[in-house]
Amino acid sequence: MNPDDTTRQALIALIPRLRRFARVLTGSIADADDVVQAALEKAMVNLEQYQPGTRLDSWVFRIARNHWVDDRRRAHNRMGHDDIGEMLDLAGDDGVAVVEASAEARMVRAAVDSLPPEQRDVVALVMLEELTYREAADMLGLPIGTVMSRLSRAKAALAKRIAAEGTVQ
Amino acid sequence: MSAPFTDAQLAAFLTGTLEDETLIDAIEAAINADPALATRAEALASAEPMDASVREAFAPVLDAPVPERLIAAATPRAAEVVDLAAARAAKSAAPLPTPANDTGRSSWRWPQFGAMAASLALGVLIGGPLLKGGGAGAPEGGSLVLASADLTAMLDSAPSGQKTDLAALGEGEVVLTFRNADGLLCRQFLIEGKGGTTSDALACAGGNGTGWQIEAYGRRAAPVGEMKLAGGDAAPAVVAAVDAMIDSDPLTGADEIAELGKK
């Protein structure tokens, strides 16, 4: 396999994480898949810009986020709705336990979806991708204290929303 | 100057339990200004129960089957390029996809069309019913000269992303502009036919002002529906041709207009 093929295989392996990342950013799985597709296409066209030895995930996540930011500037204002539940149904999951577990998951997703975009960025990177504050700051081009305060406000909003829904951890 | 804030304050800041908005802003500004304080705060960061429940809430996305179009977007295109070459070879040996073909005319070639006929043929190929769903191919290298005035006008001057009325052909849109290895301007475009079908094509300027030549075309396999038309939905033969020929960053905005001006 030549290096490009290796990189492409690695990109394919990253798709589930890219989808999750984009789903948090966009608020809908359909928009997320559009973003992921565009990011993968851009990555393929610009494969020579990727520096082997550096983190491929950071590179392609940045491409995906840039695409979404540009896309949003083009004045899309599509309403998000919780479609992960539908996706689960399609995948064939059922049963009472699953439904109950998914009710809480749905509520948590709705809480995340209600956050402003700059807070969803840090939730996606730090809480879900488990980047350090410093790594998230690098990726977003923000000072580290700002990443911390955004996540701080996101956590406060999530805690409030989750408490209001009457579900306790 | 890490002194003004206690570890308890920094920890509360990190966990989102600090209620005082002014204090949150003050800590943010102090951390941004003071690497030592940033390091102290980083050391206080720890995993929290909420992290786990957020991860759990989005876990189904990780486990869900990946749509084929996403795999396709990252799938090595080498195989398709080979297919394109094979398609070209087949085209040069085989007849056009018209019902009137018979093997006796297998040496029949694109150049035997005049520009008018080529225009008609392109209209048929792009807008007409003769291509089967998913059917795709490339006319023999650069020999199909584009002679539809509406299409030519769109390729000459329309910026990427702008819809253009192509009269009987339907509605057109240039999706990508770039230069090929010979430095010639190439434009990938799509045509949404009146019947709801979408076709893709790649045209490159012929050089010396000889107009646009179709390098590849293809009909989309599936209806696009309300999905946004992205370049990546394009017919594989066209995507492969773009992949094989692109030799510059895509031209956009003012650059694109400027380059079109000096085509």
Side-chain angles (χ1 to χ4, degrees), chain B residues 27-240:
Chain B
I27 294 177
E28 173 185 338
I31 290 174
N32 286 346
D34 179 355
L37 184 59
T39 305
R40 246 182 82 202
E42 283 180 279
L44 290 169
S46 60
E48 292 163 52
M50 188 190 287
D51 298 355
S53 52
V54 170
R55 272 198 296 279
E56 206 169 299
F58 287 95
V61 186
L62 292 183
D63 301 333
V66 171
E68 208 167 317
R69 68 173 170 125
L70 300 187
I71 307 267
T75 295
R77 297 257 168 75
E80 289 178 23
V81 174
V82 171
D83 285 348
L84 178 67
R88 280 206 162 115
K91 273 277 174 263
S92 66
L96 277 174
T98 66
N101 287 323
D102 60 58
T103 48
R105 300 178 66 194
S106 61
S107 62
W108 197 72
R109 295 284 201 281
W110 277 106
Q112 293 170 255
F113 273 109
M116 274 283 278
S119 166
L120 278 175
L122 189 65
V124 169
L125 292 169
I126 286 180
L130 294 177
L131 275 192
K132 296 182 179 72
E140 195 180 302
S143 57
L144 177 56
V145 178
L146 190 67
S148 153
D150 287 327
L151 261 180
T152 302
M154 176 176 87
L155 295 174
D156 279 343
S157 58
S160 294
Q162 180 183 295
K163 303 244 188 237
T164 304
D165 184 3
L166 298 175
L169 278 181
E171 192 168 49
E173 182 184 345
V174 176
V175 297
L176 185 69
T177 303
F178 61 89
R179 286 196 181 278
N180 68 14
D182 296 326
L184 296 171
L185 212 54
C186 297
R187 311 196 81 188
Q188 181 194 339
F189 61 98
L190 61 86
I191 294 174
E192 291 179 84
K194 303 265 192 223
T197 57
T198 301
S199 301
D200 297 280
L202 175 66
C204 293
N208 304 321
T210 52
W212 296 95
Q213 299 187 349
I214 301 296
E215 301 292 339
Y217 65 84
R219 184 96 157 262
R220 296 199 181 184
V224 179
E226 56 185 69
M227 299 290 299
K228 176 163 70 82
L229 293 175
D233 294 323
V238 174
V239 173

Side-chain angles (χ1 to χ4, degrees), chain A residues 21-32 35 68 78 80 113 120:
Chain A
F21 176 65
R23 169 59 182 79
V24 174
L25 261 49
T26 64
S28 110
I29 200 77
D31 284 350
V35 167
W68 169 240
R78 285 177 275 193
D113 289 343
R120 292 206 299 268

Side-chain angles (χ1 to χ4, degrees), chain A residues 28-137:
Chain A
S28 110
I29 200 77
D31 284 350
D33 284 350
D34 284 351
V35 167
V36 171
Q37 182 176 341
L40 291 170
E41 283 160 1
K42 282 186 189 174
M44 298 297 275
V45 171
N46 298 303
L47 217 47
E48 78 285 353
Q49 289 174 13
Y50 166 67
Q51 310 276 323
T54 64
R55 286 186 60 161
L56 183 69
D57 54 355
S58 304
W59 183 68
V60 69
F61 274 55
R62 194 177 278 122
I63 293 173
R65 184 174 172 279
N66 288 344
H67 177 83
W68 169 240
V69 170
D70 289 348
D71 205 40
R72 225 169 38 197
R73 285 202 198 107
R74 270 183 245 129
H76 282 272
N77 199 6
R78 285 177 275 193
M79 291 297 297
H81 67 285
D82 187 63
D83 41 16
I84 292 178
E86 294 164 26
M87 194 169 74
L88 265 182
D89 292 344
L90 287 176
D93 275 303
D94 56 12
V96 176
V98 172
V99 170
E100 280 176 2
S102 72
E104 167 152 12
R106 183 172 296 127
M107 189 263 297
V108 172
R109 288 196 296 270
V112 171
D113 289 343
S114 71
L115 297 173
E118 71 274 11
Q119 292 181 14
R120 292 206 299 268
D121 278 341
V122 294
V123 165
L125 292 176
V126 179
M127 291 178 107
L128 288 164
E129 279 298 315
E130 302 182 66
L131 263 56
T132 65
Y133 288 110
R134 199 166 287 280
E135 288 166 339

